[in-house]
Every structure is written in structure tokens, then in C-alpha cells.
């Protein structure tokens, strides 16, 4: 397990990006529970921590793909015309196990 941050660094209802062991990681606090996934959108590299986080869904700031933060699953892909223009759509994010201990958040890669 790799330490990512303190629990207080990501308040409830927010998300934040971290770099851990050369990985770009998105850490989300949803209702007091932490979820971790890749921070880079698989479509064309949008940086998800600067996107939108609402109702358990993260929206990519570049073309608007949406991901379920509990699973990393793609729930809304880019529109069809963008798939054609950009050579394809997005896919699920890798998600990682999270543990909280003594006020710190740890992630297992
Ligand atoms: S880069 Fe994220 S949807 Fe295109």
C-alpha cells in the first residue's frame, strides 16, 4: 500500500489529483468513503481532477466522457462524431483499492 495523503486533504464531496509512484491518481471522497482511479482520461488524456464531480460521476474536462467513481466504469462515452474525428471512444478507468488508517489514505496498485 502506498500513502497518498491525509484524510483531511480531500474533504467529503470533493476530488483531487495526486502523483504516486509515477502514476497520476484521482482520489475521490464520496460520502466519507474514498475511491481511487486513474486521473488521465483514456480518450485523449484529459486531466480528470480538473473536471467536474457530481453525484458520484466524474466528467472529463476535455470532451465530457463520464465515469462512475465507485468502479471507474465509463458511463457516458464521447458523441459518435467525436469518435470518428478522434479515432475512437473512451474506456473504463483502472480503479484501485483504498484503505484508511490513522487519518491517512493508502492505495494499492
Ligand atoms: S479527453 Fe476525456 S473525453 Fe476526450
Amino acid at each position: 500500500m502506498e500513502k497518498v495523503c491525509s484524510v483531511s486533504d480531500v474533504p467529503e464531496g470533493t476530488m483531487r489529483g495526486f502523483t504516486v509512484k509515477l502514476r497520476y491518481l484521482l482520489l475521490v471522497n464520496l460520502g466519507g468513503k474514498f475511491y481511487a482511479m486513474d486521473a488521465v482520461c483514456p480518450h485523449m488524456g484529459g486531466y480528470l481532477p480538473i473536471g467536474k464531480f457530481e453525484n458520484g460521476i466524474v466528467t472529463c474536462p476535455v470532451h465530457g466522457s463520464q465515469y462512475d467513481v465507485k468502479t471507474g466504469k465509463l458511463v457516458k462515452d464521447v458523441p459518435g462524431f467525436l469518435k470518428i474525428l478522434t479515432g475512437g471512444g473512451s474506456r473504463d478507468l483502472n480503479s484501485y483499492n483504498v484503505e484508511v488508517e490513522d487519518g491517512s489514505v493508502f492505495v494499492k496498485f
Side-chain angles (χ1 to χ4, degrees):
M1 299 294 268
E2 302 293 334
K3 182 177 175 180
V4 180
C5 63
S6 296
V7 166
S8 58
D9 290 332
V10 186
E12 190 173 331
T14 68
M15 64 178 178
R16 186 167 163 184
F18 293 91
T19 305
V20 181
K21 291 265 176 182
L22 300 179
R23 290 173 196 249
Y24 295 112
L25 193 72
L26 176 66
L27 191 68
V28 175
N29 182 339
L30 179 62
K33 190 164 166 40
F34 288 89
Y35 299 91
M37 65 218 74
D38 292 334
V40 176
C41 179
H43 178 232
M44 291 188 75
Y47 190 57
L48 297 173
I50 61 169
K52 215 164 66 177
F53 173 45
E54 261 179 4
N55 301 321
I57 301 292
V58 172
T59 302
C60 177
V62 181
H63 306 113
S65 283
Q66 294 186 319
Y67 304 90
D68 183 332
V69 299
K70 289 184 177 173
T71 61
K73 298 269 184 216
L74 177 70
V75 294
K76 185 180 158 206
D77 205 347
V78 296
F81 78 94
L82 261 179
K83 287 184 189 172
I84 293 166
L85 286 176
T86 60
S90 195
R91 59 174 169 74
D92 298 341
L93 301 170
N94 294 314
S95 60
Y96 305 99
N97 290 331
V98 179
E99 280 183 22
V100 175
E101 198 177 309
D102 295 332
S104 295
V105 181
F106 297 85
V107 170
K108 186 173 184 185
F109 293 119

